[in-house]
Amino acid sequence: MKSISKRLTLRIMMVVLAMMSVIAGVVYIVVGEYMDDEAEQRFQIVVTRAHREVQRRLSEVYVANVNNVHEIERDIDDPDKLYDHLERIVRRNPYIVSCGVFFVADYYPEKGRFFVPFATRDTADVVSVMRIDSVYHDYVEEDWYVERMESDSADWVDPYFENPLLTPHIAPRLLVTHAIPVHNREGRPVAVLCSDLSLEDMRNDMLQKVRQGKKHYEQNVEHPSYNCIIDRHGRYVLHPDKDRMLRDTLDADVTFKGKQGTVSAIIDGVPSWVFYRAVKYVEWTVMMVVPEDLIQRHGRMLNIIILAAMLIGLAAIYFFCRQQIRKVTSPLHRFARSAEEVAKGNFNAPLPDISDDDEIRMLRDSFGNMQQSLSQYIDELKTTTAQKSAIESELSIARRIQMSMLRTDIPERPDLAIHAMLTPAKAVGGDLYDFFLRDNSLYFCIGDVSGKGVPAALVMTTVCGAFRLLAESESEPMRIVSRMNEMMNRDSSMTIFVTFFAGVLDLDTGHLRYCNAGHIAPLINGQPLPVHSNLPIGAMPDWEFIAQETDLAPGSTLFLYTDGLDEAEDAGYRLFGKKRIVEVMQTASQQPCALIERMTQAVADFVGDTEQSDDLTMLAMQWKK
């Protein structure tokens, strides 16, 4: 037999496989390797240049400090000469914006307790000298000063903003300082020489160079690349946005491996590649942050070319498949018209003759057999539907009759609140409850007929009628239950029995008399009511039922239910259980209506979409003397 599916699949997949293989190869080889390698090389060069610039400026400040500290130590006994040295340091070193010597307290008694000669360059490139000990009067207690004096070694101080008292006419500058101890004639450290490098000047120079270097490939982009520097605490030492310098930290969880390399991270909410290189001595890291979108920008043109190739290939596949499918499936058009007539109900519609020995021929033969089967099935379905409709109508009437027998008129009394609920598992069920008032006493019962459906519903009707009839003339629950047991056992062929609980509550005193016939023990305020099990009604004709009694405290709530509550199952066949019933009753309101609503919701939440398997009945009453 010639297979249509094989022919079509082979012809289509050969073209698709060839096209996708070419596209996958182009994407993998050209886009993947080219974009990664090109981006790595290009941006590592930028990071290297920025790193060299930072290293060069730091080195010049470091060298200037080391070379001039000896000049200062030589004139340590003449404090007035120190101003000349500081002025010369600032003038000869363009990257040093200020320089000062911070002496220990009382080193020059004639100069006062503190003495800090200082030289600074303003924005007009004018160098001036002064004393700044009145501004930095507590420097001897700061960590950077204590560490330099105690260690007697040079080091870089963490970046900081210049004291605004020194530059009242301009905004405080962002500085980083190289500090080196100054010794007296005896070789003891008595001061610290500090030379300040402006990070803002370095930022402006680096931004200009970076802007010139990337102007050809970063035009009109939403998130451009940028250089920045962070210190050991993750703070921005240098950033294109100067308002973030020393005020913000790197907000991404970036782990640098080694002194240089590349990592991926989300920086300021933008997925990016970070090219980095560590700066010696100052524990800084020079970074080049490049958004992933920017790295992939050059590949978009190639993607457009690939997309065009895919569209051309898809067009070729479309026309090829269209021609072949029309050729192979042309008999299906005739068959489809015949099948449409059958779908409209004309099961005797003629089917076309199929000459090819393939699946269409098999489908035609199968469809002919289906025509005959459908005609027979429709006739049988009409008969079955009519019978089912009659049964459902009778069950609906039976349900309405059964539910109408249940007590729904709730008495409104100040000393009693009562509420009940019955939900059959099928159209009709075997659960029952009843209550009424006589001689200022509440007569009530609850029961569960063995089995389900119509037989249980018929027995339920009999039991309800018997209870009402007997309770009108009998005041003792035990006698009511015993008489009902006799009535159920008169017909020896009946194999159905009923678990039953009957009680009489004196509304004046709260005294409760009750008799249990194999039913679940009710709950009083969440605690089980002591009951004798006894046998269910109808189980044994001569069984002697035991009467019991107790006194209810004012406000007590009595809760009765059938096994449809504690045996409710969820999708995993777990039972709702008596423990959950007690927990719900102990946490819910003791008002009967609210209690039953809360219990109903708890069962619904537990079983979920699982179908109800048994009748569910609850009866709650509260004595409010």
Side-chain angles (χ1 to χ4, degrees):
M1 183 181 63
K2 301 177 182 179
S3 171
I4 296 177
S5 61
K6 287 183 179 180
R7 282 182 287 169
L8 292 177
T9 302
L10 180 61
R11 293 173 183 175
I12 294 173
M13 292 307 299
M14 287 179 63
V15 177
V16 173
L17 182 61
M19 295 297 298
M20 292 302 105
S21 298
V22 173
I23 295 173
V26 172
V27 172
Y28 180 80
I29 297 174
V30 178
V31 177
E33 294 184 0
Y34 172 78
M35 290 306 302
D36 291 347
D37 293 345
E38 192 272 341
E40 182 82 19
Q41 295 174 5
R42 184 192 340 151
F43 292 110
Q44 279 293 1
I45 292 174
V46 178
V47 171
T48 301
R49 290 175 180 173
H51 176 270
R52 289 176 181 174
E53 179 65 18
V54 173
Q55 196 75 47
R56 183 174 65 84
R57 292 181 181 236
L58 293 175
S59 298
E60 291 193 15
V61 175
Y62 167 81
V63 172
N65 241 20
V66 172
N67 290 341
N68 285 280
V69 70
H70 302 293
E71 299 293 330
I72 293 175
E73 289 176 345
R74 185 187 62 191
D75 293 328
I76 193 71
D77 295 331
D78 189 355
D80 293 332
K81 289 186 177 181
L82 299 181
Y83 292 103
D84 296 334
H85 292 298
L86 297 177
E87 182 180 5
R88 186 177 64 256
I89 293 174
V90 175
R91 288 187 181 280
R92 292 182 176 179
N93 297 276
Y95 297 133
I96 297 178
V97 295
S98 56
C99 184
V101 181
F102 293 76
F103 282 90
V104 297
D106 298 320
Y107 187 73
Y108 297 111
E110 69 279 8
K111 297 292 186 180
R113 178 168 174 76
F114 299 107
F115 178 61
V116 181
F118 191 74
T120 182
R121 179 190 294 109
D122 60 17
T123 55
D125 203 28
V126 176
V127 179
S128 57
V129 295
M130 65 190 78
R131 283 183 62 174
I132 62 170
D133 40 274
S134 61
V135 177
Y136 291 100
H137 58 275
D138 56 350
Y139 62 87
V140 295
E141 299 178 0
E142 294 184 3
D143 292 341
W144 68 269
Y145 190 84
V146 174
E147 290 177 0
R148 299 285 66 75
M149 296 298 290
E150 290 181 353
S151 64
D152 194 15
S153 60
D155 201 355
W156 289 92
V157 179
D158 286 340
Y160 62 95
F161 284 100
E162 188 175 24
N163 193 312
L165 296 177
L166 292 178
T167 56
H169 56 288
I170 60 173
R173 295 175 292 189
L174 180 58
L175 306 175
V176 62
T177 298
H178 183 266
I180 184 170
V182 178
H183 302 80
N184 60 10
R185 301 292 183 183
E186 290 77 24
R188 180 171 58 87
V190 295
V192 176
L193 171 62
C194 296
S195 295
D196 305 323
L197 171 66
S198 173
L199 293 177
E200 293 183 8
D201 292 344
M202 183 166 64
R203 166 188 170 275
N204 295 334
D205 293 344
M206 290 182 62
L207 285 179
Q208 182 64 26
K209 293 180 180 179
V210 170
R211 193 178 299 114
Q212 294 175 353
K214 65 181 182 181
K215 63 182 179 180
H216 300 296
Y217 56 84
E218 291 194 26
Q219 296 179 352
N220 302 321
V221 294
E222 182 179 2
H223 300 290
S225 63
Y226 60 90
N227 271 110
C228 63
I229 301 175
I230 60 173
D231 63 8
R232 56 180 176 175
H233 305 294
R235 298 182 305 172
Y236 284 115
V237 174
L238 185 146
H239 193 277
D241 184 359
K242 65 179 181 180
D243 292 335
R244 300 186 65 177
M245 296 168 63
L246 284 196
R247 294 186 177 91
D248 286 353
T249 58
L250 185 65
D251 65 348
D253 186 12
V254 180
T255 301
F256 298 118
K257 299 179 180 180
K259 296 182 178 180
Q260 65 180 32
T262 307
V263 295
S264 61
I266 297 179
I267 308 296
D268 297 330
V270 179
S272 306
W273 284 14
V274 179
F275 302 88
Y276 67 91
R277 188 165 182 175
V279 181
K280 293 190 299 182
Y281 307 124
V282 289
E283 297 185 60
W284 292 355
T285 302
V286 178
M287 300 193 309
M288 184 71 182
V289 179
V290 186
E292 289 184 1
D293 183 68
L294 183 61
I295 293 177
Q296 298 170 359
R297 191 180 186 192
H298 289 294
R300 291 196 184 101
M301 184 58 67
L302 181 58
N303 289 333
I304 294 174
I305 296 174
I306 294 174
L307 179 60
M310 290 178 61
L311 292 176
I312 295 173
L314 290 175
I317 293 174
Y318 168 75
F319 288 111
F320 177 81
C321 292
R322 182 179 180 183
Q323 179 183 5
Q324 295 300 320
I325 291 174
R326 280 184 174 180
K327 179 180 178 180
V328 175
T329 62
S330 58
L332 288 176
H333 295 290
R334 302 193 305 273
F335 181 75
R337 288 191 291 269
S338 299
E340 185 176 0
E341 291 296 321
V342 174
K344 293 178 180 179
N346 183 13
F347 300 125
N348 297 319
L351 300 178
D353 294 330
I354 306 298
S355 58
D356 293 334
D357 187 16
D358 53 19
E359 288 91 341
I360 299 179
R361 175 65 178 273
M362 294 178 60
L363 181 62
R364 190 268 181 205
D365 295 340
S366 299
F367 207 89
N369 296 332
M370 185 183 67
Q371 281 182 295
Q372 300 177 2
S373 299
L374 280 175
S375 298
Q376 181 180 355
Y377 174 74
I378 291 299
D379 294 338
E380 295 175 353
L381 183 61
K382 289 179 179 179
T383 303
T384 304
T385 302
Q387 295 175 348
K388 183 179 180 182
S389 178
I391 294 173
E392 289 179 349
S393 177
E394 294 172 357
L395 285 176
S396 177
I397 296 172
R399 178 183 177 88
R400 290 197 298 270
I401 294 174
Q402 182 185 30
M403 299 305 291
S404 67
M405 296 182 63
L406 299 174
R407 185 75 65 179
T408 58
D409 52 332
I410 307 300
E412 296 185 1
R413 296 174 57 98
D415 56 353
L416 176 67
I418 188 168
H419 192 73
M421 185 276 292
L422 188 151
T423 305
K426 298 182 178 181
V428 292
D431 278 9
L432 62 103
Y433 72 85
D434 199 2
F435 57 84
F436 64 90
L437 293 171
R438 182 168 69 85
D439 300 331
N440 207 33
S441 294
L442 177 68
Y443 289 75
F444 62 92
C445 70
I446 190 171
D448 184 2
V449 181
S450 61
K452 301 178 184 66
V454 175
L458 294 174
V459 176
M460 171 264 185
T461 304
T462 302
V463 173
C464 275
F467 173 77
R468 294 183 184 180
L469 178 65
L470 294 172
E472 289 290 343
S473 59
E474 182 60 61
S475 301
E476 293 297 329
M478 183 269 290
R479 294 181 59 80
I480 295 174
V481 173
S482 298
R483 293 282 302 278
M484 293 176 65
N485 186 53
E486 294 175 4
M487 296 171 62
M488 290 284 292
N489 281 282
R490 287 175 185 172
D491 186 359
S492 59
S493 63
M494 183 178 292
T495 59
I496 295 179
F497 58 87
V498 183
T499 65
F500 195 78
F501 183 95
V504 178
L505 175 62
D506 190 330
L507 297 179
D508 292 327
T509 63
H511 187 68
L512 175 65
R513 292 169 292 151
Y514 59 93
C515 180
N516 184 51
H519 199 73
I520 304 170
L523 300 175
I524 296 182
N525 299 330
Q527 300 298 323
L529 177 70
V531 297
H532 291 287
S533 298
N534 291 318
L535 290 180
I537 294 176
M540 184 178 292
D542 298 327
W543 182 264
E544 294 184 3
F545 293 91
I546 301 175
Q548 293 177 269
E549 58 185 30
T550 187
D551 290 313
L552 300 184
S556 297
T557 298
L558 182 64
F559 180 68
L560 304 92
Y561 60 94
T562 60
D563 58 3
L565 178 61
D566 62 311
E567 294 181 2
E569 295 181 347
D570 63 2
Y573 301 101
R574 296 178 302 171
L575 300 181
F576 188 70
K578 293 183 175 62
K579 182 178 179 181
R580 288 188 176 88
I581 297 175
V582 173
E583 290 175 353
V584 172
M585 188 171 182
Q586 289 177 345
T587 57
S589 170
Q590 296 303 301
Q591 292 294 327
C593 182
L595 174 60
I596 289 180
E597 289 180 356
R598 178 69 182 87
M599 195 70 70
T600 302
Q601 185 61 46
V603 174
D605 294 341
F606 176 78
V607 301
D609 297 331
T610 305
E611 184 179 358
Q612 182 179 343
S613 60
D614 198 0
D615 302 335
L616 172 59
T617 304
M618 292 181 282
L619 174 63
M621 61 193 72
Q622 185 180 43
W623 182 58
K624 305 178 181 179
K625 186 64 177 178

